[in-house]
Amino acid sequence: MKHITRDDISQMEKIERINLMNSCTGYKSANLIATISKEGISNVAVFISITHLGSNPGLLGFIIRPTTVPRDTYKNLKDVGYFSVNHITSTMIVDGHHTSANYEVGVSEFEKTNLEEEYKNKIKVPFVKGSPVQLYCKYVNEYFIKENNTIHIIASIEAIYYNEDLEHIDGWLQLDKVNVVAINGLDGYCLPKLLDRFEYARPNIENKSFEI
């Protein structure tokens, strides 16, 4: 196996280093975070850092890059207090990835792509139409990470919307049924396929598979 040290990494050209460090940690979730400003301008951006933090209460977290430049997502969720998380499917990857382009402040990525806004009930923030799993989230807290000047956002899951045919009897959602994608690195979109699903693991008891 190839061996690369920390010193080797520090001497790499920027793009090579970014690609290596973002891909070596494994597959990541592919989500679109949609927000709206106080002035009513919508925003949508691809995020690869969303992680499950807890089930009771339902919490998730994600990373905001350094705010040395304007970050519409961050400003909007702080001003309004709510946002949506939307899973990306294989048919959405071109437009989804384009939301990472650096548009000027106040420009809605919904207007620059084929992604469509969707509003539910009396919820003010937009969802991404066609996304098979959509989470309505509330800003709860944030933690500044001094080591690289990023911000860890903590949010509660206030509501979940999903295609009913994804749900199994125990509440588990089988995401590969609707081609939800994952990301390898920053720009490699992959289509996961379910291989197996196991019952709750207990000491000294052989694992058994669920019937899917």
Side-chain angles (χ1 to χ4, degrees):
M1 298 183 74
K2 187 171 183 177
H3 176 213
I4 296 177
T5 66
R6 180 170 180 170
D7 287 339
D8 295 331
I9 294 169
S10 67
Q11 295 173 30
M12 284 180 175
E13 187 270 330
K14 178 181 177 181
I15 299 300
E16 181 184 8
R17 181 175 64 250
I18 289 173
N19 284 334
L20 176 61
M21 298 309 293
N22 276 280
S23 60
C24 72
T25 52
Y27 294 107
K28 296 178 279 288
S29 62
N31 298 108
L32 292 166
I33 291 184
T35 60
I36 196 165
S37 70
K38 290 188 297 184
E39 295 74 29
I41 300 172
S42 60
N43 176 268
V44 61
V46 61
F47 276 78
I48 62 174
S49 60
I50 295 177
T51 54
H52 164 82
L53 295 181
S55 300
N56 188 22
L59 296 174
L60 58 78
F62 64 94
I63 300 298
I64 294 284
R65 289 182 293 170
T67 54
T68 50
V69 298
R71 303 287 183 194
D72 284 347
T73 298
Y74 180 61
K75 184 178 188 304
N76 292 349
L77 69 87
K78 288 294 294 290
D79 287 348
V80 176
Y82 294 87
F83 60 94
S84 72
V85 173
N86 306 268
H87 286 16
I88 300 175
T89 66
S90 57
T91 60
M92 299 165 62
I93 59 176
V94 173
D95 290 305
H97 187 72
H98 190 74
T99 65
S100 63
N102 188 24
Y103 284 105
E104 294 182 1
V105 173
V107 174
S108 173
E109 291 80 3
F110 282 110
E111 296 180 356
K112 298 297 182 178
T113 66
N114 291 316
L115 299 173
E116 296 183 45
E117 300 172 58
E118 179 180 33
Y119 292 88
K120 300 177 184 290
N121 305 321
K122 296 182 180 180
I123 294 175
K124 183 181 297 185
V125 301
F127 295 82
V128 178
K129 187 175 182 179
S131 176
V133 180
Q134 305 166 326
L135 312 177
Y136 176 51
C137 300
K138 178 182 179 181
Y139 170 87
V140 173
N141 207 345
E142 65 182 58
Y143 297 90
F144 178 70
I145 301 174
K146 64 180 181 180
E147 286 77 9
N148 63 354
N149 297 320
T150 57
I151 299 171
H152 191 193
I153 299 293
I154 311 298
S156 62
I157 299 174
E158 301 293 306
I160 307 173
Y161 301 89
Y162 56 85
N163 294 359
E164 291 185 30
D165 58 354
L166 301 182
E167 186 179 26
H168 285 243
I169 192 170
D170 61 351
W172 180 67
L173 302 182
Q174 188 175 342
L175 301 181
D176 67 328
K177 279 188 171 184
V178 286
N179 294 333
V180 169
V181 300
I183 293 183
N184 180 194
L186 289 173
D187 49 19
Y189 291 81
C190 308
L191 195 59
K193 180 67 177 176
L194 179 68
L195 299 178
D196 209 339
R197 185 185 179 215
F198 297 99
E199 295 180 356
Y200 187 83
R202 293 178 173 81
N204 303 315
I205 297 177
E206 183 180 356
N207 278 347
K208 293 182 179 180
S209 297
F210 277 103
E211 288 190 15
I212 303 299

